Structures are given as structure tokens and as C-alpha cells.
Amino acid sequence: MDPPSPTWIYSNNVALQEEMRCPKVAVVAFYDTMGRQIWLGNAMLLASAALTGVLVGIGSGYGRRYRHHRFTRFIFLGANILFLPIISFVVSTLRDSSNDYVNKEDGTTLAALCNSVFHPCMVITWAFLVQMAATNATSVVATESREGPKVGPPWELLVKGIWTFYLGASITNKRFFHGLFRISSSENHRSFTIICSKIMFAPFALICAKIWFKCYSFRKARKSFALGRNPCLVFGYMKELQQVRSQHDGTSTVGEDALFSPLLVMGEDSRQVKKQPWGYVFSDIWTMAIDRIGLVTLDRVWKLDSVAPTSKDLCLSFALFKLLRCRFARYDIANAVGSTGHKFFWSLLLKDGEHNRVFRVIADELSFVHDYYNSSLPTSYAKCWLPFLSILISLLSVGYCVVAAYFIVVFAGQVHKYGRSQIHCDFWCSKLQAVSQLHNKNFGNLYFDVLPEFLLLILVLVAEVRDITSYISSNWTKVALICHHVKCASLQHQQTRYQWFGPLLRCRCKLVNNWDEKIGQCSVLVLHPTTRTNFIGLLSRVLHHLPDEKMKVNMPEAVKACIMDSLRSTASNSTLGQVGNVRTFLQRSGQAGTGFLWACNGKMSTSDMILTWHIATSIFEVRHPYWDDIEQGSSPVSIQHKSAATHLSRYCAYLMTWSPELLPDEVAWTKSLYEAVKEDTEHVLNVRAVTGPPLMPEAEYNDLVQLLREKSNHLVVKNGVRLGKQLVELGEGEETAWAILAGFWAEMILYVAPSNNLKGHKKAIARGGELITLLWALLFHAGIVSRPGEAASAAGSAVGV
């Protein structure tokens, strides 16, 4: 039974109303209760909008790497966990009956009837938009069991969506929920409620479509031999290919012809496969001469003149990515590829002036690795039509955001005529038979509904646009288009059809690139420390528990060239499949280099050598600064050697403090040694900072060496000073010293790069990539899978065949 209307009460108690007044205490209590309730709900809405910004930022701008950073992972999980309590509390305050108020005090009853027209529509829409953003930021990863755990579809998001739909249907009842199924009515505000109900519940359909898409693509990708089960097929294929090669002829190809290796690129699902003890192989009898219909291999791409060189390199990166997945799956792929298979990569490495091309090939390969293990993008290619369906769903989401924003503006303008409040209340007081006059009060502000809603719409729109961009400009789409062109190469007008996609294939979008060609830089010998300590730097050190700050710089061309020169030198002085070490390099450098062998003897660990030579390089740089080289007109080669030496020196120091797990020594030992040396040098440099450093390079060098020799206590620091002084006093001159330093650091980074720490490199790729991980992959494809003196194991365990 409905309560008596306030208007009826008013008309039947006119005489009593003139005498009855609401107590001030009761009115204040009513205002406080309702105000506290509405402002608490608004605070939760604003907090949820901020959390959604975190979800979208992590999902798009941060590259979905949140799992590998403690702070961002904490924020992401917190945003998901707090969503249900927040939405349940806020929605519980939206029913008209839940906002009714009755309070009895001193025999006087204050009663209120409250209602809202626009507020419930905005809150339910807000709840669905938050879930849309969370769905976009959730990845599904279909991997083989040997690669690690799979990341399945986000079923919890579907449960949250159903719960939100139930809450919205229950609180809106006939006003909005029935508006989904009614087109017209004579009731007041019916046109408003019909449109608003569709704005409220349309995101639920989009959420269901997104979750269904992720579930379907995940199930197809998991069973696909081109995606989920690809490593076992590639391993079996390479084993069989090696056997066929040995049966046909025992010769191996060298040079450009070696690039015609039939590595798998795409089309594995187009052929029947069968199980073998070492993996899957294609069912038909393999011969090198058959036409592999439907199967695109690297040799077919490379021999097609209509394919641009950059497109060929991208297909090479994709084929190498599949081999690298085999290593992550701990297959002994290095032995399966064999020495003949590695020589095609050496033929690329040994070409002068190709360092940029080599680094680009490996960087693209690692971008495929990053996408496969950290995003949902690869699973969308399980079927050729799935990318188009995903783009269609994203376009529908974009259209919804635009339409919803338009109608929210229109409805906000209409509601504005009746006030800017979120909730309107009519209240009165009664005592015995006396009833007061009817009063009204508005609570909240309309902008607390509109502004968070617009923010969420913008965030969802950004996420959807990013997804569309990822599909259109991703390397996965480019490889699919190239392989489609290769399979249709015999058709007419194939050249013209390929040219249609030329601009797309040449486009390199930063949103879909993984490695940005930046390297970290740290130093234990900061000569001119800045006194500025900002809040972000302190917070970063607290959150990461790391001992030193870092700086990212663009990797110079000299670093790439120096590393490739070192690789070529290794190939010319040793057998393929082996990498030299720093002692071998110094011995090859003649009398000038042999004088430094004491600084890399067998008693020193790798961490000791890195810090010793890092301190020496820093001291030598003080004596010969960059601006001094320009004034004296030093040769370009010497400047390049200096750039390579200083950047690689600081990068190795950066690895010791930020990624010690990628270095040979034990992690705790490496970090403790760095911290001890850093503390010792900081103590000395603080004394130097008080006295004030000399301005001229020679005087500054002498002052620094004297202080370090007298004040330092650590053996590594003393050895670094001794080595730096020896470099300065080298009889062959500055250019020879810089050449030795550049060669040493190139050899050092190549020496530490081979590793069986698959988990560490996978995490480094997820964080955005590291130079050492790029070199690790490069050396793996060249057949170098372990450091000199270590047991070679391409798989990192004994599970390989």
C-alpha cells in the first residue's frame, strides 16, 4: 500500500500546519544524513574513475606490462578487487525507497520522500564503462604447457557484468528496465527513459561480445598449430628438415643463398600433421622440391622480387620468433637447427654496414615475443576473420561512446531546468495530529555525474582506438598481408594488389613497437651529483627497492657498430657457434692490450671486472672529456669508440643494479658488490664536492685519482683507479686507449649475453626490452647459447632431445 501523498496531508491539515514547525535539530540531522550519503557515493564515483584511468593507462600506454612491476600490479589488482564493493554500495543508495527518510525524536517525526531522474542512469552507465575498460586491459595468452601457464578468458568480468546488469534492472524497475522493450508510451519522461535505458544497458552487450570474442579466439588459438601448439611443430619440422638436408647432400650453403632456408613463416594449419616422438611433423612426405601449397616459408618470401626488402626482413623476424618460442618452451632447438641452419644468420651478421638492419630484425622478433606472451593480439589471428570482428566490436564501442556523450549532454541540459541536484527530497514533520508544511531540499551536484561519465567515455574511447590501431599497424597484420601476397603471387595483378598495402607495410607505429632503442645508464662514479631530489625519484626507489637511479638514453649508432664489429672479429678468429672473451680480445690487441690482462684475470668475478673497468672508463673520460675531443679535432673513429665505450660501461653498471639476474654472477652478490662500491665512491666524492672540483680536465683528473687512492677502501675501487691511470699513461695515445675500451665493453656485453635464464629474459621483454636481451636472442640464432667454459644447452634444461 502506498504511503499517503504529502499533498493530501497538506490539504487536510491546513490549520494545524500553521502551528507546526520542524525542529531545527531534526532538520539538521536530515541534511547531514542525506548529504553524507550522496557525497560518499560521489567520492566513490570519482575514485573509480581514477582507478579506471589506471586500468586504461596500464592496458594501453604501459603496454600491458603491469604483471612485472610490483606497484602497477598492486594498483591494477586493487582496482579490480574494489570494484564490486563500490558498485554494490553506490547502487544500494539509488532506489527511491532507499532514500526515504524517517526520524522520530521527542515525539516529532520527520519524514521525507526522495527521488532522482538522471542519477541512476549515470551510475549504472559508469559501472558498465569501468568493466569495458577492464575488459580491454585484460589479455588472454594461448601457450604450450612447456612455455608456462596459459592466461585464460576473463570469466570474472562476465560475472561482474551480470551482477551489474541485475543491480541496474532491480533499482530502475519499470522506469528504465522496461524501457528496453517499449518504444513509445504516454507516460511522462518516457522518451527520456527509453533512450536512457539503452544508454545504460548497451555496454553490457558490448562487454559480452568482447568476452565471447576472447573466449572463442583463445580456444581456437590454443588448438592451432600456427599459434598455441606451434613450438612442438616447429621443433619437429626443424628436426625433419635437418635429416632431409643430410640425406640429399652433405654440403652447406654460404652467403646470400643461405638465406633461402625454408623456415616456417605462416600457414601451418593448412597442412595435416602427425605426432612423432620429438614433436609434430607434416603428414605428407617432405622433399625440398615440392610446392608447399598453403604453407609460406622463408625461402618463398625471399625469392619473390615483388616483396620489399623490409617486408622480407619482417618475415625473417617472424620465422626467428617461432624458433625463439621453441627455446622458451625448452626444446633443444639449437641442435635441431644445426650448424647449417645457423650459417644463414652469420651471413647476415658478417656484412659491413648492416648493423641497423640486424638490430631491427631482432627488435621486431622480440616485439612478436612481447605481443604473444603479454597481449591478446596474437590469439585474434587464429582465424582470418577474427581481426575484422575485433575491429568491428571496437568501432561499435567507439560509436557508443560518441552517442552516449551526445545524449548525456542533451539530458543534462534538460534536467538542468529542474536544478543541478542529483537527488530531490520532499519532507515534512508531524506530531500527533499536527503536520507541518511541505518542504523540499536538493542534494548533490549534477556535475558529479556528468564529469566522471565523460572521463570514462574518453578513457574507453582511447582504449578502443588503441586496439584498432594495434590491429591495423601491427607487425602481425603486416606478416599476414605479406604471406597472403606470397600465396597469391601466381594470380594476375598481384603486383598491383601488393602495392595497395605499401603505405601500411612501411608504417611503424610507436604504439605497437616494443623496444624503443633506449638503454639504461648508471654509474658508481658520479662526479657532479645534483642536489635536486624530487618526490618521484624517492618514490621510485622506495617502490622498487633498488639502490641507484637510472637514466634512459637513445642508443648511439656507435654502440651497434662496435658490437657488430666485435662479432665479426669473433667469427674471423674462431669457429662459428662460439663467442670470445675479454682476455682473448686483449691478447689480440697486441702489446697495448696485454698490459691490461691483470684487470681481467681468472680470480676476478664478472661483477668485479665490470666495476673495475667501469671506474677506469669514468676516470679516463674525466681526463679526456667529449668537448675536449671536439676542440682538439679528434678523429671520428676515436669519437665513435669513446661513445661506445662510455655508453656500454654505464649500461653494464645499470644491469648490475636493475637487472642483475641477467648477469653471470649470483644476484645477491652482484647487488651487494655494486652497493658497496657505490657507497665507497660516494664517501670520497662527497669530500671532493666540499672542496670544489678543478675546472681543467688534467687538474680534475689528478685531484680525482689522488682522492680515490687515499680515501677509498674497497679493492675494486683501487683496481679501477690503477687501471684508469694506466689507460691515461698509455704510450700509444688516447685513440688506442679508447679503441681498447670500446672493444673490451663490446666483448664484455657479448660475453654476458648468452644465458639459460629464460624467465629473466621473458620478464625483460615484458618490461619493454633490454639491449642484453636483444643480444641474447641474436647470439642464439647465431648458434651461441652459452658462455665460454659453460655447458651448451639451447633449451636451458635436460628436457630437450
mmCIF file with all atom_site columns, all heavy atoms in Angstrom, residues 522-536:
data_model
loop_
_atom_site.group_PDB
_atom_site.id
_atom_site.type_symbol
_atom_site.label_atom_id
_atom_site.label_alt_id
_atom_site.label_comp_id
_atom_site.label_asym_id
_atom_site.label_entity_id
_atom_site.label_seq_id
_atom_site.pdbx_PDB_ins_code
_atom_site.Cartn_x
_atom_site.Cartn_y
_atom_site.Cartn_z
_atom_site.occupancy
_atom_site.B_iso_or_equiv
_atom_site.pdbx_formal_charge
_atom_site.auth_seq_id
_atom_site.auth_comp_id
_atom_site.auth_asym_id
_atom_site.auth_atom_id
_atom_site.pdbx_PDB_model_num
ATOM 1   N N   . CYS A 1 522 ? 73.800 3.966  -15.631 1.00 0.00 ? 522 CYS A N   1
ATOM 2   C CA  . CYS A 1 522 ? 74.093 4.199  -14.218 1.00 0.00 ? 522 CYS A CA  1
ATOM 3   C C   . CYS A 1 522 ? 75.600 4.314  -14.049 1.00 0.00 ? 522 CYS A C   1
ATOM 4   O O   . CYS A 1 522 ? 76.371 3.911  -14.929 1.00 0.00 ? 522 CYS A O   1
ATOM 5   C CB  . CYS A 1 522 ? 73.557 3.060  -13.340 1.00 0.00 ? 522 CYS A CB  1
ATOM 6   S SG  . CYS A 1 522 ? 71.777 3.058  -13.129 1.00 0.00 ? 522 CYS A SG  1
ATOM 7   N N   . SER A 1 523 ? 76.023 4.851  -12.918 1.00 0.00 ? 523 SER A N   1
ATOM 8   C CA  . SER A 1 523 ? 77.450 4.980  -12.658 1.00 0.00 ? 523 SER A CA  1
ATOM 9   C C   . SER A 1 523 ? 77.693 4.983  -11.157 1.00 0.00 ? 523 SER A C   1
ATOM 10  O O   . SER A 1 523 ? 76.904 5.538  -10.391 1.00 0.00 ? 523 SER A O   1
ATOM 11  C CB  . SER A 1 523 ? 78.006 6.263  -13.283 1.00 0.00 ? 523 SER A CB  1
ATOM 12  O OG  . SER A 1 523 ? 79.397 6.390  -13.014 1.00 0.00 ? 523 SER A OG  1
ATOM 13  N N   . VAL A 1 524 ? 78.778 4.344  -10.748 1.00 0.00 ? 524 VAL A N   1
ATOM 14  C CA  . VAL A 1 524 ? 79.191 4.389  -9.342  1.00 0.00 ? 524 VAL A CA  1
ATOM 15  C C   . VAL A 1 524 ? 80.108 5.579  -9.091  1.00 0.00 ? 524 VAL A C   1
ATOM 16  O O   . VAL A 1 524 ? 80.493 5.832  -7.947  1.00 0.00 ? 524 VAL A O   1
ATOM 17  C CB  . VAL A 1 524 ? 79.909 3.083  -8.930  1.00 0.00 ? 524 VAL A CB  1
ATOM 18  C CG1 . VAL A 1 524 ? 78.993 1.897  -9.067  1.00 0.00 ? 524 VAL A CG1 1
ATOM 19  C CG2 . VAL A 1 524 ? 81.186 2.879  -9.747  1.00 0.00 ? 524 VAL A CG2 1
ATOM 20  N N   . LEU A 1 525 ? 80.455 6.309  -10.151 1.00 0.00 ? 525 LEU A N   1
ATOM 21  C CA  . LEU A 1 525 ? 81.376 7.426  -10.029 1.00 0.00 ? 525 LEU A CA  1
ATOM 22  C C   . LEU A 1 525 ? 80.711 8.677  -10.592 1.00 0.00 ? 525 LEU A C   1
ATOM 23  O O   . LEU A 1 525 ? 81.026 9.137  -11.690 1.00 0.00 ? 525 LEU A O   1
ATOM 24  C CB  . LEU A 1 525 ? 82.678 7.114  -10.778 1.00 0.00 ? 525 LEU A CB  1
ATOM 25  C CG  . LEU A 1 525 ? 83.965 7.790  -10.260 1.00 0.00 ? 525 LEU A CG  1
ATOM 26  C CD1 . LEU A 1 525 ? 84.275 7.335  -8.845  1.00 0.00 ? 525 LEU A CD1 1
ATOM 27  C CD2 . LEU A 1 525 ? 85.135 7.470  -11.178 1.00 0.00 ? 525 LEU A CD2 1
ATOM 28  N N   . VAL A 1 526 ? 79.751 9.219  -9.839  1.00 0.00 ? 526 VAL A N   1
ATOM 29  C CA  . VAL A 1 526 ? 79.041 10.427 -10.249 1.00 0.00 ? 526 VAL A CA  1
ATOM 30  C C   . VAL A 1 526 ? 79.857 11.629 -9.801  1.00 0.00 ? 526 VAL A C   1
ATOM 31  O O   . VAL A 1 526 ? 79.906 11.974 -8.620  1.00 0.00 ? 526 VAL A O   1
ATOM 32  C CB  . VAL A 1 526 ? 77.631 10.461 -9.648  1.00 0.00 ? 526 VAL A CB  1
ATOM 33  C CG1 . VAL A 1 526 ? 76.880 11.696 -10.125 1.00 0.00 ? 526 VAL A CG1 1
ATOM 34  C CG2 . VAL A 1 526 ? 76.866 9.199  -10.009 1.00 0.00 ? 526 VAL A CG2 1
ATOM 35  N N   . LEU A 1 527 ? 80.519 12.280 -10.740 1.00 0.00 ? 527 LEU A N   1
ATOM 36  C CA  . LEU A 1 527 ? 81.471 13.331 -10.398 1.00 0.00 ? 527 LEU A CA  1
ATOM 37  C C   . LEU A 1 527 ? 80.796 14.638 -10.023 1.00 0.00 ? 527 LEU A C   1
ATOM 38  O O   . LEU A 1 527 ? 81.305 15.386 -9.192  1.00 0.00 ? 527 LEU A O   1
ATOM 39  C CB  . LEU A 1 527 ? 82.418 13.553 -11.579 1.00 0.00 ? 527 LEU A CB  1
ATOM 40  C CG  . LEU A 1 527 ? 83.199 12.308 -12.026 1.00 0.00 ? 527 LEU A CG  1
ATOM 41  C CD1 . LEU A 1 527 ? 84.081 12.643 -13.205 1.00 0.00 ? 527 LEU A CD1 1
ATOM 42  C CD2 . LEU A 1 527 ? 84.016 11.741 -10.888 1.00 0.00 ? 527 LEU A CD2 1
ATOM 43  N N   . HIS A 1 528 ? 79.680 14.931 -10.621 1.00 0.00 ? 528 HIS A N   1
ATOM 44  C CA  . HIS A 1 528 ? 78.985 16.181 -10.338 1.00 0.00 ? 528 HIS A CA  1
ATOM 45  C C   . HIS A 1 528 ? 77.539 15.868 -9.984  1.00 0.00 ? 528 HIS A C   1
ATOM 46  O O   . HIS A 1 528 ? 76.625 16.099 -10.789 1.00 0.00 ? 528 HIS A O   1
ATOM 47  C CB  . HIS A 1 528 ? 79.048 17.126 -11.553 1.00 0.00 ? 528 HIS A CB  1
ATOM 48  C CG  . HIS A 1 528 ? 80.441 17.430 -11.978 1.00 0.00 ? 528 HIS A CG  1
ATOM 49  N ND1 . HIS A 1 528 ? 81.289 18.255 -11.261 1.00 0.00 ? 528 HIS A ND1 1
ATOM 50  C CD2 . HIS A 1 528 ? 81.161 17.001 -13.062 1.00 0.00 ? 528 HIS A CD2 1
ATOM 51  C CE1 . HIS A 1 528 ? 82.457 18.332 -11.878 1.00 0.00 ? 528 HIS A CE1 1
ATOM 52  N NE2 . HIS A 1 528 ? 82.406 17.585 -12.966 1.00 0.00 ? 528 HIS A NE2 1
ATOM 53  N N   . PRO A 1 529 ? 77.291 15.322 -8.797  1.00 0.00 ? 529 PRO A N   1
ATOM 54  C CA  . PRO A 1 529 ? 75.918 14.949 -8.432  1.00 0.00 ? 529 PRO A CA  1
ATOM 55  C C   . PRO A 1 529 ? 75.041 16.174 -8.260  1.00 0.00 ? 529 PRO A C   1
ATOM 56  O O   . PRO A 1 529 ? 75.490 17.213 -7.784  1.00 0.00 ? 529 PRO A O   1
ATOM 57  C CB  . PRO A 1 529 ? 76.106 14.202 -7.099  1.00 0.00 ? 529 PRO A CB  1
ATOM 58  C CG  . PRO A 1 529 ? 77.374 14.766 -6.533  1.00 0.00 ? 529 PRO A CG  1
ATOM 59  C CD  . PRO A 1 529 ? 78.247 15.082 -7.713  1.00 0.00 ? 529 PRO A CD  1
ATOM 60  N N   . THR A 1 530 ? 73.793 16.031 -8.665  1.00 0.00 ? 530 THR A N   1
ATOM 61  C CA  . THR A 1 530 ? 72.822 17.112 -8.490  1.00 0.00 ? 530 THR A CA  1
ATOM 62  C C   . THR A 1 530 ? 72.200 17.010 -7.110  1.00 0.00 ? 530 THR A C   1
ATOM 63  O O   . THR A 1 530 ? 71.935 15.919 -6.616  1.00 0.00 ? 530 THR A O   1
ATOM 64  C CB  . THR A 1 530 ? 71.727 17.021 -9.569  1.00 0.00 ? 530 THR A CB  1
ATOM 65  O OG1 . THR A 1 530 ? 71.094 15.731 -9.471  1.00 0.00 ? 530 THR A OG1 1
ATOM 66  C CG2 . THR A 1 530 ? 72.322 17.181 -10.960 1.00 0.00 ? 530 THR A CG2 1
ATOM 67  N N   . THR A 1 531 ? 71.973 18.157 -6.512  1.00 0.00 ? 531 THR A N   1
ATOM 68  C CA  . THR A 1 531 ? 71.372 18.175 -5.181  1.00 0.00 ? 531 THR A CA  1
ATOM 69  C C   . THR A 1 531 ? 69.858 18.051 -5.239  1.00 0.00 ? 531 THR A C   1
ATOM 70  O O   . THR A 1 531 ? 69.215 17.882 -4.211  1.00 0.00 ? 531 THR A O   1
ATOM 71  C CB  . THR A 1 531 ? 71.721 19.488 -4.471  1.00 0.00 ? 531 THR A CB  1
ATOM 72  O OG1 . THR A 1 531 ? 71.276 20.585 -5.283  1.00 0.00 ? 531 THR A OG1 1
ATOM 73  C CG2 . THR A 1 531 ? 73.223 19.591 -4.260  1.00 0.00 ? 531 THR A CG2 1
ATOM 74  N N   . ARG A 1 532 ? 69.293 18.121 -6.426  1.00 0.00 ? 532 ARG A N   1
ATOM 75  C CA  . ARG A 1 532 ? 67.838 18.040 -6.556  1.00 0.00 ? 532 ARG A CA  1
ATOM 76  C C   . ARG A 1 532 ? 67.382 16.598 -6.339  1.00 0.00 ? 532 ARG A C   1
ATOM 77  O O   . ARG A 1 532 ? 67.827 15.675 -7.003  1.00 0.00 ? 532 ARG A O   1
ATOM 78  C CB  . ARG A 1 532 ? 67.410 18.505 -7.962  1.00 0.00 ? 532 ARG A CB  1
ATOM 79  C CG  . ARG A 1 532 ? 65.907 18.433 -8.197  1.00 0.00 ? 532 ARG A CG  1
ATOM 80  C CD  . ARG A 1 532 ? 65.596 18.931 -9.597  1.00 0.00 ? 532 ARG A CD  1
ATOM 81  N NE  . ARG A 1 532 ? 66.279 18.152 -10.608 1.00 0.00 ? 532 ARG A NE  1
ATOM 82  C CZ  . ARG A 1 532 ? 65.784 17.034 -11.139 1.00 0.00 ? 532 ARG A CZ  1
ATOM 83  N NH1 . ARG A 1 532 ? 64.626 16.554 -10.728 1.00 0.00 ? 532 ARG A NH1 1
ATOM 84  N NH2 . ARG A 1 532 ? 66.448 16.397 -12.074 1.00 0.00 ? 532 ARG A NH2 1
ATOM 85  N N   . THR A 1 533 ? 66.490 16.397 -5.422  1.00 0.00 ? 533 THR A N   1
ATOM 86  C CA  . THR A 1 533 ? 65.908 15.089 -5.163  1.00 0.00 ? 533 THR A CA  1
ATOM 87  C C   . THR A 1 533 ? 64.393 15.248 -5.196  1.00 0.00 ? 533 THR A C   1
ATOM 88  O O   . THR A 1 533 ? 63.799 15.772 -4.264  1.00 0.00 ? 533 THR A O   1
ATOM 89  C CB  . THR A 1 533 ? 66.348 14.539 -3.792  1.00 0.00 ? 533 THR A CB  1
ATOM 90  O OG1 . THR A 1 533 ? 67.766 14.490 -3.758  1.00 0.00 ? 533 THR A OG1 1
ATOM 91  C CG2 . THR A 1 533 ? 65.782 13.151 -3.565  1.00 0.00 ? 533 THR A CG2 1
ATOM 92  N N   . ASN A 1 534 ? 63.769 14.842 -6.283  1.00 0.00 ? 534 ASN A N   1
ATOM 93  C CA  . ASN A 1 534 ? 62.329 15.035 -6.402  1.00 0.00 ? 534 ASN A CA  1
ATOM 94  C C   . ASN A 1 534 ? 61.571 13.877 -5.776  1.00 0.00 ? 534 ASN A C   1
ATOM 95  O O   . ASN A 1 534 ? 62.116 12.826 -5.479  1.00 0.00 ? 534 ASN A O   1
ATOM 96  C CB  . ASN A 1 534 ? 61.915 15.204 -7.881  1.00 0.00 ? 534 ASN A CB  1
ATOM 97  C CG  . ASN A 1 534 ? 62.407 14.062 -8.743  1.00 0.00 ? 534 ASN A CG  1
ATOM 98  O OD1 . ASN A 1 534 ? 62.538 12.935 -8.275  1.00 0.00 ? 534 ASN A OD1 1
ATOM 99  N ND2 . ASN A 1 534 ? 62.690 14.352 -9.999  1.00 0.00 ? 534 ASN A ND2 1
ATOM 100 N N   . PHE A 1 535 ? 60.278 14.116 -5.598  1.00 0.00 ? 535 PHE A N   1
ATOM 101 C CA  . PHE A 1 535 ? 59.433 13.127 -4.930  1.00 0.00 ? 535 PHE A CA  1
ATOM 102 C C   . PHE A 1 535 ? 59.310 11.855 -5.760  1.00 0.00 ? 535 PHE A C   1
ATOM 103 O O   . PHE A 1 535 ? 59.298 10.748 -5.221  1.00 0.00 ? 535 PHE A O   1
ATOM 104 C CB  . PHE A 1 535 ? 58.053 13.741 -4.693  1.00 0.00 ? 535 PHE A CB  1
ATOM 105 C CG  . PHE A 1 535 ? 57.053 12.753 -4.150  1.00 0.00 ? 535 PHE A CG  1
ATOM 106 C CD1 . PHE A 1 535 ? 57.092 12.360 -2.816  1.00 0.00 ? 535 PHE A CD1 1
ATOM 107 C CD2 . PHE A 1 535 ? 56.073 12.221 -4.974  1.00 0.00 ? 535 PHE A CD2 1
ATOM 108 C CE1 . PHE A 1 535 ? 56.172 11.458 -2.323  1.00 0.00 ? 535 PHE A CE1 1
ATOM 109 C CE2 . PHE A 1 535 ? 55.150 11.322 -4.486  1.00 0.00 ? 535 PHE A CE2 1
ATOM 110 C CZ  . PHE A 1 535 ? 55.195 10.943 -3.153  1.00 0.00 ? 535 PHE A CZ  1
ATOM 111 N N   . ILE A 1 536 ? 59.239 12.003 -7.089  1.00 0.00 ? 536 ILE A N   1
ATOM 112 C CA  . ILE A 1 536 ? 59.081 10.825 -7.941  1.00 0.00 ? 536 ILE A CA  1
ATOM 113 C C   . ILE A 1 536 ? 60.303 9.924  -7.846  1.00 0.00 ? 536 ILE A C   1
ATOM 114 O O   . ILE A 1 536 ? 60.197 8.699  -7.790  1.00 0.00 ? 536 ILE A O   1
ATOM 115 C CB  . ILE A 1 536 ? 58.837 11.264 -9.406  1.00 0.00 ? 536 ILE A CB  1
ATOM 116 C CG1 . ILE A 1 536 ? 57.515 12.039 -9.499  1.00 0.00 ? 536 ILE A CG1 1
ATOM 117 C CG2 . ILE A 1 536 ? 58.828 10.075 -10.334 1.00 0.00 ? 536 ILE A CG2 1
ATOM 118 C CD1 . ILE A 1 536 ? 57.211 12.559 -10.884 1.00 0.00 ? 536 ILE A CD1 1
#
